[in-house]
Amino acid sequence: MPHHLRRLAVISTHTSPLARPGTTKAGGMNVYVAELAKQLAARERIVDIYTRRDSPDLPDVVEIAPGAQVVHVDVGPPTPLPPIEVAAHIDAFTARADQIAHERGWSYELLHSHYWVSGLSGISLAQRWSCPHAATFHTLGEIKNRHYRGAGHPEPALRIAGEDHVASCADLLIPWTAHERDFLIDFYKADPARIRIVPGGVDLERFQPGDRRAARETVRRTMPDLVVDDAPAILFVGRLEPLKGVDLLVEALAQLDPPAGRPPPRLWIVGGDARDEPERARLRAIAAAAGVADRVSMQHAAPHQLLPDLHRAANVCAMPSAYESFGLVAVEAMACGAPVVASRVGGLMTTITDGDNGYLAPERTAAAFAQRLGWVLNSPDGGAAMGRRAAASARRYAWPVAAERMLELYESLIAEPERDPSPCAEAAETLLASAGL
Ligand code: UDP
């Protein structure tokens, strides 16, 4: 008989589920952590999400749903820090989280860490709390290095070593896709018997197909920086990172032939905040050079609940990323009946079937994207049929389904005999010390 989970500790050191998704480091992982916590709390489990305090005025504990709360851990400066800097505070984080649990009298049957930095803390906390440790990486440094060749900074060696360590010490690894599972086995030498997949989800009650005209009215009101008129619209939603490939999309816009008898398409770019002005300026310059500046409009990251109208208002959603471990935005767009034109990478290969419920560009070039965006925009009937198939296939990614699966995994993990944790504690200290942390 599987054992019952009563209280779960979630470790999400460097990003908080309270952060607005679509800005700097807050994205799919934040949505995943928050949604699953709410789903588990609705199933009468208590969920404490430990995260580093990144702003001085946050209360110690913030409830996100009855039974699910964010617990702020005071280590390092109370400002946002990149993950590698959070790694330098990881021992202090572990000690403080343990102290909080002790002071409040909280005890756990299981802990789930998110991202490799949290995984390092998870290894030590699981030993202190004598509970099993499940780990999800969300992205893997070595995959990034391979996909981002020439496009970004190589991931630090400490990250790869940290991931290696978490992959061998966690009791269960929970990737989002088969692609990530295979990579964990092939590169990180993870034990296949200790890996189970739980894909991301979408709130199917909110993200639904609907009337485009009405949605455009709403978007005009809620996102005043976007130019919303009768022209067809291509939508990008996400963090404004160069690796999301928005520049490629701007160039694709310039290569698109206007649909017969209709105004030339617009590009709506939604994401980022004031900190992303340099990236916005770069995109504006590319648009100006390509002669499409008047057809590109940008809006800061929108609250998650406003996104369904945005997807309904657009004609097609584009995801030209260099890599996506899953790509929640694609599934959210699909759930709203929007065809997605995406790169043939990572999780997008799982959620999109080329030519059926969307398109996977065979190469990451403006020409390949322009061609496929043109196919959707120039054949409104074909685009609508593809959107209907997209909405149907998104139905398999509901948060309650993901949560039930997660709960099942948690409870069978609790029922397993304990593994000997001793080789893992020392290795974490050695790892951090050798990196001078
Ligand atoms: N998001 C949002 N508002 C925005 C932009 C993005 O709520 O303005 C959300 C989006 O709906 C999705 C998440 O941020 O749930 C991004 O996840 P994804 O997996 O697409 O990309 P990641 O940021 O993890 O690379």
Side-chain angles (χ1 to χ4, degrees), residues 12-375:
S12 178
T13 49
H14 81 283
T15 59
S16 165
L18 301 175
R20 170 166 292 187
T23 59
T24 57
K25 291 286 167 203
M29 170 172 147
N30 304 62
V31 173
Y32 189 86
V33 168
E35 290 297 328
L36 285 178
K38 289 178 196 164
Q39 291 287 337
L40 292 172
R43 288 163 180 73
E44 306 200 344
R45 269 58 176 200
I46 302 171
V47 185
D48 300 325
I49 306 166
Y50 290 85
T51 191
R52 201 185 66 84
R53 183 193 297 280
D54 62 3
S55 157
D57 43 358
L58 291 165
D60 290 346
V61 175
V62 179
E63 188 180 83
I64 57 169
Q69 50 189 359
V70 175
V71 181
H72 289 116
V73 180
D74 287 297
V75 289
T79 51
L81 288 181
I84 196 75
E85 287 182 34
V86 176
H89 296 284
I90 208 65
D91 284 343
F93 182 97
T94 300
R96 181 69 194 126
D98 186 28
Q99 193 185 6
I100 295 171
H102 183 75
E103 282 164 8
R104 302 231 176 200
W106 295 336
S107 63
Y108 301 104
E109 285 83 39
L110 186 109
L111 80 79
H112 189 162
S113 67
H114 295 269
Y115 203 69
W116 69 275
V117 180
S118 304
L120 293 180
S121 178
I123 293 169
S124 315
L125 285 171
Q127 287 178 21
R128 292 181 189 219
W129 295 341
S130 302
C131 68
H133 172 200
T136 297
F137 288 104
H138 297 273
T139 64
L140 286 165
E142 182 59 20
I143 297 190
K144 272 195 152 186
N145 281 344
R146 291 184 187 190
H147 279 84
Y148 294 172
R149 206 171 298 138
H153 302 292
E155 292 299 305
L158 175 64
R159 173 171 182 181
I160 312 297
E163 289 170 344
D164 235 345
H165 187 56
V166 176
S168 63
C169 289
D171 299 290
L172 187 69
L173 301 177
I174 310 184
W176 294 39
T177 61
H179 177 260
E180 199 182 316
R181 177 201 55 204
D182 295 347
F183 203 88
L184 281 166
I185 296 169
D186 295 342
F187 182 81
Y188 291 90
K189 305 292 170 233
D191 174 1
R194 291 190 299 106
I195 308 181
R196 297 286 182 278
I197 298 167
V198 179
V202 54
D203 181 345
L204 291 171
E205 280 163 34
R206 267 202 187 130
F207 288 81
Q208 283 191 2
D211 181 60
R212 179 169 299 147
R213 195 169 288 272
R216 287 198 170 201
E217 278 309 315
T218 310
V219 171
R220 205 172 280 134
R221 205 164 17 83
T222 54
M223 300 188 202
D225 293 342
L226 295 183
V227 178
V228 183
D229 53 16
D230 291 335
I234 301 161
L235 172 64
F236 168 84
V237 189
R239 292 177 296 117
L240 283 194
E241 265 208 20
L243 301 167
K244 289 275 178 185
V246 194
D247 45 3
L248 190 152
L249 207 50
V250 174
E251 281 161 6
L253 182 71
Q255 296 182 21
L256 265 171
D257 293 327
R262 298 179 71 200
R266 295 192 177 281
L267 173 59
W268 297 339
I269 299 173
V270 178
D273 58 17
R275 291 169 288 184
D276 297 298
E277 243 358 277
E279 177 63 0
R280 268 191 209 97
R282 189 178 80 91
L283 294 173
R284 266 189 222 106
I286 295 171
V292 291
D294 58 332
R295 289 195 277 128
V296 177
S297 51
M298 305 190 206
Q299 174 83 38
H300 281 197
H304 198 60
Q305 64 273 18
L306 293 185
L307 295 186
D309 274 315
L310 190 61
H311 288 299
R312 291 191 276 259
N315 299 69
V316 57
C317 175
M319 235 175 157
S321 319
Y323 184 72
E324 286 292 339
S325 52
F326 186 74
L328 279 180
V329 161
V331 178
E332 290 161 1
M334 289 161 74
C336 295
V340 180
V341 177
S343 320
R344 194 182 286 272
V345 295
L348 298 169
M349 296 188 293
T350 308
T351 48
I352 297 171
T353 308
D354 188 32
D356 175 50
N357 59 5
Y359 286 114
L360 292 170
E363 49 188 32
R364 280 189 74 238
T365 60
F369 272 81
Q371 189 177 42
R372 281 154 189 82
L373 291 166
W375 288 342

